[in-house]
Amino acid sequence: MSAKYLVTGGAGYIGSVVAQHLLEAGHQVVVLDDLSTGFREGVPEGAEFVRADLREAGRHLDASFDAVLHFAASSQVGESVVRPEKYWENNVGGSLALLTAMREAGVRKLVFSSTAATYGEPETVPIPETARTAPTNPYGATKLAVDHMITSEANAHGLAAVSLRYFNVAGAYGDRGERHDPESHLIPLILQVALGRRDHISVYGDDYPTPDGTCIRDYIHVADLADAHLLALDAATPGEHLICNLGNGSGFSVRQVIDTVRQVTGHPIPAQVAERRGGDPAVLVASAATARDRLGWSPRRADLTTIVTDAWDFARRRA
Ligand SMILES: NC(=O)c1ccc[n+]([C@@H]2O[C@H](COP(=O)([O-])OP(=O)(O)OC[C@H]3O[C@@H](n4cnc5c(N)ncnc54)[C@H](O)[C@@H]3O)[C@@H](O)[C@H]2O)c1
């Protein structure tokens, strides 16, 4: 059955891919985005676009909406350390305004973009949702605060809510892919080397307790992530705040990612080992058991070559 959704942050990387999937499933989509880091051309054809700040969501929401998918946020970890106030204001202040607008409009279903950064340094790997949450940067702290806010909204006011805690999102879906500026994610950074925009890729530490000494991360294809959002809309239950990690459940080391980019692009990708960065855990891998059991989700594009090939096709087309 066709439904109507508000997608905040739908001009950004992940929000635009999910908006495209919603349209392909026959739903009506309104994108609300202030274009602070997103792009007007990222909004898929067929979606209505409202250029507005999250705090103005109340003017655009009414009872005709079935749910909100909330991607809009500031999400640069490094920036959050030097400008924490921006993160508390935008991520926490903006989400609070959105929850109020939803309550007033009678829109009682939410899917929220949470993050692996809510956990901080893991005590066990793969990381389950019951793991201790101890974020190591303001970005993760603000996302955790929003998760707490959503839990209390579900308990007190019956909101049906699902938080999806993404691990490392990568890959592209047709014309929609990663365009962060500055870019901080590994795969698009390595692809910049392949495109001749950087001389080399820096490997931050090669003496971690992992098989090849470099950090291991869990990469998930953005189209698999989109599938999980559609399933989350079906699984959301009034009065419950369900939290699900989203990852492939298997990790790849920085060296494995560089090698895969070499194979896919045919470029030698010079790599230079640099000092470790503070706060980088050796291994971050999700347990996706809850997403499998509660959403019926499993990744269909878990293979690193597929993820890198899709990201490379997108990067080349843009170049
Ligand atoms: N990319 C990842 O690997 C990753 C991992 C974990 C979680 N997340 C979360 O997923 C979400 C989407 O991430 P992304 O990589 O697509 O980022 P993005 O920067 O590409 O998209 C965010 C979008 O939100 C918009 N926005 C920001 N603040 C706004 C505001 N106050 N009002 C209206 N619009 C606003 C931006 O213009 C942008 O279009 C974010 O919440 C992020 O924290 C991303």
Side-chain angles (χ1 to χ4, degrees):
M1 207 179 66
S2 173
K4 182 175 175 185
Y5 297 118
L6 182 76
V7 178
T8 76
Y13 168 43
I14 302 169
S16 66
V17 172
V18 176
Q20 177 72 44
H21 277 72
L22 291 169
L23 289 165
E24 286 170 9
H27 301 301
Q28 203 181 331
V29 173
V30 178
V31 165
L32 181 144
D33 198 299
D34 67 358
L35 301 185
S36 51
T37 57
F39 302 89
R40 176 65 185 89
E41 65 272 24
V43 178
E45 206 177 309
E48 187 186 323
F49 177 60
V50 176
R51 183 170 185 174
D53 184 90
L54 269 178
R55 295 160 200 84
E56 300 162 57
R59 279 197 229 149
H60 306 282
L61 264 181
D62 59 42
S64 69
F65 286 89
D66 294 283
V68 174
L69 296 100
H70 178 29
F71 300 90
S74 301
S75 60
Q76 297 279 348
V77 170
E79 183 190 50
S80 81
V81 176
V82 292
R83 285 188 67 198
E85 64 284 5
K86 173 177 172 183
Y87 283 70
W88 291 102
E89 179 57 43
N90 200 32
N91 296 355
V92 177
S95 299
L96 183 59
L98 179 68
L99 283 181
T100 304
M102 288 178 66
R103 199 183 318 117
E104 287 173 358
V107 182
R108 299 284 69 204
K109 195 188 281 192
L110 174 73
V111 178
F112 172 61
S113 302
S114 188
T115 167
T118 53
Y119 296 113
E121 191 80 41
E123 287 171 337
T124 49
V125 178
I127 304 173
E129 292 80 1
T130 49
R132 184 180 60 120
T133 43
T136 52
N137 53 66
Y139 165 65
T142 60
K143 287 282 180 172
L144 182 60
V146 177
D147 271 339
H148 287 313
M149 206 190 284
I150 294 171
T151 303
S152 53
E153 180 76 18
N155 290 341
H157 303 301
L159 183 72
V162 181
S163 284
L164 299 174
R165 289 190 172 155
Y166 316 153
F167 280 59
N168 291 59
V169 187
Y173 186 64
D175 291 339
R176 293 183 176 76
E178 270 189 279
R179 295 174 65 179
H180 299 117
D181 182 20
E183 188 53 74
S184 60
H185 294 152
L186 183 64
I187 292 174
L189 281 175
I190 308 176
L191 292 177
Q192 288 180 4
V193 181
L195 286 170
R197 299 213 177 115
R198 272 171 199 271
D199 324 332
H200 69 276
I201 187 76
S202 297
V203 176
Y204 295 105
D206 65 351
D207 55 356
Y208 283 94
T210 60
D212 67 18
T214 65
C215 287
I216 292 179
R217 295 292 179 266
D218 188 332
Y219 295 89
I220 173 171
H221 196 295
V222 68
D224 282 338
L225 200 75
D227 291 343
H229 285 74
L230 272 74
L231 293 167
L233 286 165
D234 291 338
T237 307
E240 184 194 27
H241 180 204
L242 173 64
I243 298 180
C244 296
N245 290 341
L246 286 185
N248 281 324
S250 59
F252 298 101
S253 73
V254 173
R255 282 209 194 285
Q256 283 176 302
V257 177
I258 295 172
D259 283 342
T260 306
V261 178
R262 287 180 178 138
Q263 282 156 21
V264 168
T265 64
H267 190 284
I269 314 283
Q272 287 179 14
V273 177
E275 289 285 299
R276 285 183 180 200
R277 293 181 302 195
D280 256 351
V283 182
L284 280 181
V285 173
S287 162
T290 306
R292 189 185 57 229
D293 297 346
R294 291 293 310 275
L295 307 182
W297 176 83
S298 55
R300 290 186 289 161
R301 305 157 186 92
D303 170 45
L304 191 56
T305 303
T306 304
I307 294 175
V308 170
T309 302
D310 289 354
W312 177 230
D313 287 347
F314 170 75
R316 262 193 312 187
R317 262 205 305 276
R318 274 202 67 223

